[in-house]
Amino acid sequence: MKNHGNEVSLVTGGAGFIGSHVVDHLLSMNHKVIALDDLSGGFERNVNKNAIFVKGSILDNQVLAEILIPTRLIMFFTWPLMPLRD
Ligand SMILES: NC(=O)c1ccc[n+]([C@@H]2O[C@H](COP(=O)([O-])OP(=O)(O)OC[C@H]3O[C@@H](n4cnc5c(N)ncnc54)[C@H](O)[C@@H]3O)[C@@H](O)[C@H]2O)c1
């Protein structure tokens, strides 16, 4: 998981237990990290200050459209599982 310049890694559920540790680990490897979390279960205080925290849902297409543009790596740690959509 080498950093490739300005590319960004996205961690969904980044304010949760596992996601926040993954954010820390990616930052320690010099990744630029976006932590996406709707705070339905997690806490903003869990998110490393060196990450870009985005409060929003993985189900929100507008949020995703903005943050997926520079994203190269996506790690998915949201819980509970997202509801099925039509
Ligand atoms: N904790 C464990 O021991 C463990 C072990 C194996 C697997 N897992 C899996 O890892 C994942 C994360 O577990 P965890 O313990 O970190 O859970 P957690 O509840 O601490 O974190 C989940 C995060 O997802 C966020 N979230 C929920 N719905 C969201 C949405 N629609 N959009 C954005 N964010 C959303 C919550 O606010 C929360 O911060 C789960 O899928 C879990 O099954 C956990």
Side-chain angles (χ1 to χ4, degrees):
M1 289 191 290
K2 284 184 181 172
N3 182 303
H4 298 269
N6 288 326
E7 290 145 355
V8 175
S9 297
L10 168 64
V11 179
T12 74
F17 177 64
I18 293 182
S20 61
H21 285 90
V22 172
V23 168
D24 290 343
H25 190 63
L26 290 171
L27 286 168
S28 77
M29 295 192 300
N30 294 320
H31 285 233
K32 294 178 181 175
V33 181
I34 297 175
L36 173 65
D37 202 296
D38 66 1
L39 301 182
S40 58
F43 301 93
E44 187 171 351
R45 65 173 181 268
N46 289 343
V47 182
N48 190 305
K49 298 289 182 242
N50 293 317
I52 300 164
F53 174 64
V54 176
K55 182 176 184 289
S57 173
I58 57 170
L59 302 177
D60 185 333
N61 289 335
Q62 195 170 345
V63 170
L64 291 180
E66 290 173 17
I67 63 179
L68 286 182
I69 291 170
T71 298
R72 179 181 178 90
L73 170 72
I74 301 175
M75 303 191 79
F76 184 81
F77 297 100
T78 50
W79 177 259
L81 295 176
M82 60 183 171
L84 295 175
R85 306 176 90 183
D86 293 335

